[in-house]
């Protein structure tokens, strides 16, 4: 199948005819895979031509086949756990259908079912519109996380129709439901049916003040009183997974300081820790015979898949080499492990490996051929000291050979979250920037996940506090390298990283030459009020340590909009019109404040884009704009810059 004509036109019309950027704009990444119940096929979501669809491929390898006719919705983790919680397409127990999430008729998302051989999809759920305004009520979320009952007759899903996320069920044939199962004032998500189909386990954020405190709970499939298995106050208990015999539930908890794998019996007794030691673990998966569990474990910026016996003992690492190996799944016969792998030189694809370890086999090949022909830059894993004696692990992208005596411009990328983790995988635009002559530094500043709870909580009580010291120490690190022109360093980031850009330019106006903000909040009080996502408010409250009215001076001091007059550097703001997390008003207010003072600010708001850009044409245009912006404001010396302005 050829690329869409519109996509080809975009590549011809923009300056970004570089194969790496074409590959990025093609959005060809492969999602996590799942085995068919008979073990003969593997299903996955693939945005082959810019739109995500369900595909299947023979488990022994072969040419993939597209199943869905209309785009599906790729569900990622929430602000607490940013993993691929969808876990790949959901096969029915008999292997004859998929349940998945896709845009519904009213503009939100609904649960759909489609034959696994392809054909017409049937929509089972949809959100009602508000009778008063005939539009979406701001607190309504989406139907998501569909899970089949063991007999294949019912599908459970998560929905927030009346406020908090709750568990609902609907009959596979549409004859029953949707029916609400839980009626908590808490967010309930990450659902799993018990093997006998009588109960549903889930993670519940039962702490009103801390979204990083959750409990493992169980409820009868027909509804009733929620039974809480863990207290939800000692740590972030989540990701429940039933043992094949239904006697135990494996889950992830950071109650011991790091995310580790724990076990608890279905009656709430016999709690025990299965893994320990540095590095956050996650995504436990039981072997078909219930004797072992595979899980992911962060090794700094790398992530591996490990196997451990449920009876305890040492863990065994299955994957090798730098990169991110995740989304593991046992084959039905227990002989192989399917997983998703990405490295610094290759994008995400599906691989499988013997469950006892051995040589892996690649199953999908999603990288564009001309991208594979390029020798990519392999980043260095570096650390630099910051305040409070913290070591900040980072990725440093640079040419293998630098010109003697030359000082290079640098770009520092700050990730979103801030509770996220930049890992050692394929970043096409960083690759492109290095080829254009820049040095790129990607730090995992305090607040990042992957390094334990204490590190993740290092920036609590205020954004722009201790975390800002990491940004400044990153610049000091660049200066110590000896080949960076620190008068030509740009700061770039998205979401929280976009906030970091705005804050750094206002509070440290002489440090950065330019800034690029992707959908970052500039007015924290206004953002708290404007956001349509309730959990974003809870995150802001936790990160800032108070409600806006409880500590107004702090919220005002950490809002870059109030200090726009201090910005000296040129700023580019890129924003989605449909962003429900950071309202587009945040972007326009900051730009207008700068324009009123005659400062340089380039603003683009993209229709149809939300909190993150997904359309190939948007990705291509954003890459073009960033490329031009950096060329104008970072490639030239200070004197040349003044002449140009």
């Amino acid at each position: 199948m050829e690329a869409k004509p519109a996509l080809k036109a975009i590549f011809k019309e923009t300056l970004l005819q570089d194969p790496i950027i074409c590959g990025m704009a093609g959005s060809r990444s492969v999602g996590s895979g799942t085995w068919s119940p008979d073990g003969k096929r593997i299903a996955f979501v693939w945005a082959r031509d810019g739109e995500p669809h369900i595909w299947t491929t023979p488990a022994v390898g072969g040419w993939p086949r597209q199943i869905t006719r209309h785009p599906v919705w790729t569900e990622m983790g929430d602000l607490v756990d940013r993993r691929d919680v969808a876990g790949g397409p959901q096969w029915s127990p008999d292997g004859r259908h998929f349940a998945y999430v896709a845009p519904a008729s009213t503009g939100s998302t609904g649960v759909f079912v489609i034959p696994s051989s392809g054909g017409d999809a049937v929509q089972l759920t949809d959100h009602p519109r508000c009778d008063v305004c005939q539009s979406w009520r701001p607190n309504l979320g989406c139907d998501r996380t569909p899970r089949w009952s063991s007999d294949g007759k019912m599908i459970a899903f998560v929905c927030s129709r009346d406020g908090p996320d709750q568990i609902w069920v609907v009959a596979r044939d549409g004859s029953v439901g949707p029916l609400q199962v839980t009626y908590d004032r808490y967010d309930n998500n990450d659902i799993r049916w018990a093997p006998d189909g009588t109960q549903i386990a889930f993670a519940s954020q039962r702490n009103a003040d801390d979204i990083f405190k959750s409990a493992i709970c169980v409820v009868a499939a027909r509804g009733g009183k929620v039974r809480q298995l863990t207290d939800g106050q000692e740590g972030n208990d989540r990701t429940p997974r039933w043992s094949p015999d239904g006697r135990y539930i494996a889950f992830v908890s950071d109650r011991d300081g790091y995310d580790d794998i724990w076990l608890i019996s279905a009656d709430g007794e016999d709690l025990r820790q299965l893994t320990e030691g540095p590095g956050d673990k996650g995504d436990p998966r039981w072997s078909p015979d219930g004797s072992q569990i595979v899980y992911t474990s962060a090794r700094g910026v790398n992530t591996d898949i490990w196997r451990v016996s449920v009876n305890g003992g040492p863990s065994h690492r299955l994957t090798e080499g730098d990169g991110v190996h995740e989304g593991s799944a046992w084959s039905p016969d227990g002989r192989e492990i399917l997983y998703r792998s990405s490295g610094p030189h290759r994008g995400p694809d599906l691989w499988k490996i013997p469950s006892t370890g051995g040589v892996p086999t690649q199953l999908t090949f999603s990288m564009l051929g001309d991208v594979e022909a390029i020798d990519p830059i392999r980043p260095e894993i570096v650390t630099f000291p910051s305040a409070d004696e913290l070591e900040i692990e980072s990725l440093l992208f640079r040419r293998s050979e630098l010109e003697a005596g030359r000082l290079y411009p640098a770009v520092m990328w700050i990730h979103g979250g801030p509770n996220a983790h930049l890992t050692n995988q394929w970043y096409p635009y960083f690759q492109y920037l290095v080829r254009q002559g820049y040095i790129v530094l990607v730090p995992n500043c305090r607040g990042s996940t992957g390094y334990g709870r204490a590190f993740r909580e290092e920036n609590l009580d205020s954004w722009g506090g201790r975390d800002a010291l990491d940004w400044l120490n990153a610049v000091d690190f660049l200066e110590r390298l000896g080949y960076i022109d620190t008068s030509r360093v740009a700061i770039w980031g998205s979401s929280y990283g976009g906030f970091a850009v705005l804050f750094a330019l206002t509070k440290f106006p002489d440090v950065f030459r330019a800034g690029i903000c992707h959908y970052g909040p500039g007015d924290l009080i206004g953002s708290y009020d404007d956001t349509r996502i309730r959990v974003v408010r809870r995150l802001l409250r936790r990160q800032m340590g108070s409600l806006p009215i409880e500590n107004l001076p702090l919220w005002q001091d950490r809002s870059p909009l109030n200090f726009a007059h201090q910005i000296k550097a040129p700023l580019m703001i890129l924003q989605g019109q449909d962003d429900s997390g950071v309202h587009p008003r945040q972007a326009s207010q900051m730009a207008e404040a700068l324009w009123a003072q005659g400062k340089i600010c380039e603003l683009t708001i993209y229709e149809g884009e939300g909190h993150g850009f997904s359309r190939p044409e948007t990705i291509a245009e954003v890459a073009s704009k960033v490329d031009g912006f950096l060329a104008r404001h970072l490639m030239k010396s200070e004197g040349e810059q003044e002449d140009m302005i």
Side-chain angles (χ1 to χ4, degrees):
M1 184 183 299
E2 292 189 1
K4 292 184 175 181
L7 199 57
K8 288 184 176 179
I10 291 166
F11 295 154
K12 284 185 74 174
E13 293 171 5
T14 67
L15 58 86
L16 296 175
Q17 298 180 25
D18 186 284
I20 288 182
I21 301 306
C22 291
M24 178 179 72
S27 301
R28 298 171 58 90
S29 62
V30 170
S32 298
T34 52
W35 299 84
S36 62
D38 61 8
K40 295 181 179 180
R41 289 184 292 166
I42 289 170
F44 55 97
V45 173
W46 187 19
R48 184 184 186 275
D49 295 307
E51 293 181 343
H53 286 275
I54 294 177
W55 294 68
T56 61
T57 190
V60 295
W63 194 255
R65 176 172 178 263
Q66 183 175 324
I67 302 301
T68 52
R69 299 171 182 170
H70 302 286
V72 304
W73 189 62
T74 305
E75 181 182 356
M76 298 301 293
D78 58 21
L79 293 169
V80 175
D81 194 347
R82 295 168 178 267
R83 297 185 176 93
D84 180 2
V85 296
Q90 300 298 303
W91 295 87
S92 61
D94 61 9
R96 297 173 61 185
H97 293 87
F98 290 117
Y100 65 97
V101 176
S105 58
T106 49
S108 186
T109 63
V111 175
F112 290 73
V113 170
I114 192 172
S116 59
S117 58
D120 295 328
V122 176
Q123 181 177 339
L124 296 182
T125 74
D126 198 357
H127 276 294
R129 286 182 179 268
C130 175
D131 293 334
V132 177
C133 61
Q134 292 300 304
S135 64
W136 288 102
R137 285 171 284 175
N139 64 331
L140 287 182
C142 304
D143 297 347
R144 63 190 191 279
T145 321
R147 295 290 183 265
W148 294 90
S149 62
S150 55
D151 60 8
K153 294 181 179 180
M154 303 294 290
I155 296 174
F157 63 98
V158 174
C159 174
S160 55
R161 301 190 183 201
D162 289 318
D165 289 342
Q166 300 297 340
I167 300 171
W168 293 62
V169 294
V170 64
R172 154 66 188 89
D173 59 8
S175 61
V176 177
L179 299 174
Q180 190 170 347
V181 176
T182 60
Y183 291 84
D184 281 337
R185 59 188 180 93
Y186 310 103
D187 284 320
N188 300 326
N189 46 54
D190 202 354
I191 53 179
R192 287 295 187 278
W193 289 84
D196 64 6
T198 62
Q199 301 179 89
I200 298 173
F202 58 95
S204 182
Q205 292 179 1
R206 306 181 85 78
N207 187 306
D209 298 321
D210 191 347
I211 63 173
F212 285 84
K213 292 290 192 296
S214 58
I216 302 300
C217 298
V218 173
V219 67
R222 295 182 176 274
K225 184 179 180 180
V226 170
R227 188 161 51 90
Q228 191 170 331
L229 302 186
T230 65
D231 63 17
Q233 305 303 316
E234 295 182 23
N236 189 14
D237 301 343
R238 62 198 191 281
T239 322
R241 302 290 184 263
W242 293 90
S243 62
D245 61 10
R247 295 175 56 196
Y248 287 91
I249 295 175
F251 65 98
V252 177
S253 177
D254 66 357
R255 61 179 63 200
D256 198 39
Y258 288 92
D259 280 349
D260 274 296
I261 311 302
W262 292 68
L263 296 180
I264 193 169
S265 62
D267 60 6
E269 303 295 331
D270 193 20
L271 174 68
R272 56 192 173 98
Q273 186 174 351
L274 199 59
T275 65
E276 60 183 1
D280 284 339
K281 296 84 173 175
D283 196 22
R285 305 290 183 102
W286 292 83
S287 61
D289 64 4
S291 65
Q292 300 176 83
I293 287 176
V294 293
Y295 61 93
T296 59
S297 180
R299 179 169 45 93
V301 293
N302 297 301
T303 301
D304 296 302
I305 295 174
W306 293 69
R307 186 190 75 245
V308 66
S309 168
V310 297
N311 294 321
S315 295
H316 302 278
R317 179 176 160 190
L318 296 179
T319 54
E320 299 290 341
D322 288 346
V324 177
H325 314 295
E326 59 187 355
S328 56
W330 293 82
S331 62
D333 62 9
R335 296 180 178 179
E336 295 179 303
I337 304 294
L338 175 70
Y339 63 98
R340 181 176 182 257
S341 177
S342 174
H345 58 293
R346 53 180 170 77
D349 270 304
L350 294 180
W351 295 64
K352 65 178 182 179
I353 191 171
S355 58
T356 55
V359 179
T361 301
Q362 187 172 354
L363 295 175
T364 65
F365 299 84
S366 64
M367 293 279 282
L368 292 172
D370 45 1
V371 175
E372 292 178 336
I374 296 172
D375 184 22
I377 303 296
R378 292 178 181 263
E380 300 175 45
I381 302 173
V382 298
T383 60
F384 62 84
S386 188
D388 306 318
E389 299 182 350
L390 283 185
E391 291 290 324
I392 305 300
E393 188 176 42
S394 312
L395 294 173
L396 180 67
F397 293 79
R398 68 177 184 90
R399 293 178 182 271
S400 56
E401 295 183 3
L402 301 176
E403 297 180 24
R406 178 182 174 184
L407 294 180
Y408 291 81
V411 178
M412 182 169 66
W413 170 268
I414 306 297
H415 65 64
N419 307 120
H421 187 199
L422 261 292
T423 50
N424 193 13
Q425 54 183 311
W426 176 243
Y427 298 110
Y429 204 71
F430 298 161
Q431 298 279 344
Y432 176 78
L433 288 179
V434 172
R435 293 176 58 185
Q436 295 297 98
Y438 302 96
I439 307 296
V440 180
L441 181 67
V442 185
N444 276 321
C445 300
R446 69 189 71 207
S448 299
T449 57
Y451 303 95
R453 185 170 67 185
F455 190 88
R456 192 192 68 217
E457 294 180 347
E458 265 291 323
N459 64 342
L460 287 186
D461 301 331
S462 67
W463 284 5
R466 294 183 297 276
D467 49 2
L469 300 178
D470 297 342
W471 315 334
L472 296 178
N473 279 289
V475 177
D476 291 342
F477 166 76
L478 290 173
E479 183 175 21
R480 291 195 298 273
L481 292 176
Y483 51 80
I484 303 295
D485 181 355
T486 52
S487 71
R488 293 188 293 154
V489 177
I491 183 169
W492 181 21
S494 62
S495 193
Y496 161 82
F499 158 81
V501 170
L502 301 178
F503 187 88
L505 295 188
T506 59
K507 296 290 188 174
F508 318 113
D510 297 315
V511 174
F512 298 99
R513 169 73 75 84
I516 303 172
C517 169
H518 288 229
Y519 37 89
D523 174 13
L524 295 187
I525 298 173
S527 188
Y528 182 90
D529 183 56
D530 287 339
T531 182
R532 288 177 283 169
I533 302 179
R534 184 170 45 84
V535 70
V536 172
R537 289 195 183 95
R538 295 184 65 191
L539 176 70
L540 277 172
R541 176 183 177 184
R542 183 178 190 270
Q543 292 285 328
M544 297 298 290
S546 66
L547 291 169
I549 197 171
E550 294 172 339
N551 195 346
L552 195 58
L554 175 65
W555 284 73
Q556 290 175 328
D557 178 69
R558 302 305 164 85
S559 294
L561 181 63
N562 297 331
F563 304 93
H565 61 279
Q566 297 179 178
I567 292 181
K568 297 179 181 179
L571 173 65
M572 171 179 279
I573 302 176
L574 303 166
Q575 173 71 45
Q577 179 64 49
D578 298 336
D579 193 333
S580 56
V582 175
H583 196 283
R585 184 183 300 113
Q586 294 284 311
S588 59
Q589 285 178 335
M590 178 61 72
E592 289 165 3
L594 294 175
W595 293 335
Q597 300 172 59
K599 298 180 182 292
I600 299 175
C601 181
E602 301 179 21
L603 169 66
T604 306
I605 297 179
Y606 292 96
E607 294 185 4
E609 296 287 5
H611 198 66
F613 304 139
S614 60
R615 296 180 176 181
E617 58 268 30
T618 303
I619 295 172
E621 182 179 329
V622 166
S624 177
K625 285 182 175 294
V626 170
D627 182 82
F629 181 82
L630 291 176
R632 290 191 299 275
H633 301 293
L634 207 62
M635 269 299 183
K636 300 181 183 295
S637 67
E638 290 189 60
E640 293 172 322
Q641 178 77 10
E642 291 174 1
D643 292 341
M644 183 185 69
I645 294 174

